[in-house]
């Protein structure tokens, strides 16, 4: 089993995020493919990319939207 891995999470049909955090730490909006989060308005898809970390460490992603 691998000890570390990166993650890419895609959430479909969601409103545009105002902020995203991973394990309580804010992550910044970034270009597609770079660590951070991005938004594809055409498809209403939020993509969150998490840097390499231990597979034994839980990951909690939180998204806030502007209402």
């Amino acid at each position: 089993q691998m000890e570390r891995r990166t993650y890419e999470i895609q959430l479909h049909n969601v409103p545009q995020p105002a902020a995203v955090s991973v394990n309580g730490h804010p992550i910044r909006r970034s270009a597609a493919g770079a660590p951070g989060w991005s938004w594809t308005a055409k498809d209403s898809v939020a993509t969150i990319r998490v840097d390499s970390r231990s597979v034994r460490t839980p990951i909690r992603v939180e998204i806030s939207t502007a209402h």
Side-chain angles (χ1 to χ4, degrees), residues 24-39:
H25 301 283
I27 60 172
R28 69 177 189 273
R29 189 169 184 171
S30 63
W37 68 273
S38 60
W39 168 251

Side-chain angles (χ1 to χ4, degrees), residues 24-53:
H25 301 283
I27 60 172
R28 69 177 189 273
R29 189 169 184 171
S30 63
W37 68 273
S38 60
W39 168 251
T40 306
K42 175 181 86 154
D43 301 317
S44 296
V45 175
T47 303
I48 298 100
R49 288 167 302 281
V50 181
D51 285 332
S52 178
R53 56 189 66 217

Side-chain angles (χ1 to χ4, degrees), residues 1-51:
Q1 180 179 2
M2 298 177 2
E3 292 295 316
R4 300 182 68 79
R5 72 175 311 153
T6 59
Y7 296 88
E8 180 174 287
I9 303 158
Q10 292 185 339
L11 303 172
H12 296 260
N13 296 316
V14 296
Q16 180 175 353
V20 178
S21 65
V22 174
N23 293 347
H25 301 283
I27 60 172
R28 69 177 189 273
R29 189 169 184 171
S30 63
W37 68 273
S38 60
W39 168 251
T40 306
K42 175 181 86 154
D43 301 317
S44 296
V45 175
T47 303
I48 298 100
R49 288 167 302 281
V50 181
D51 285 332

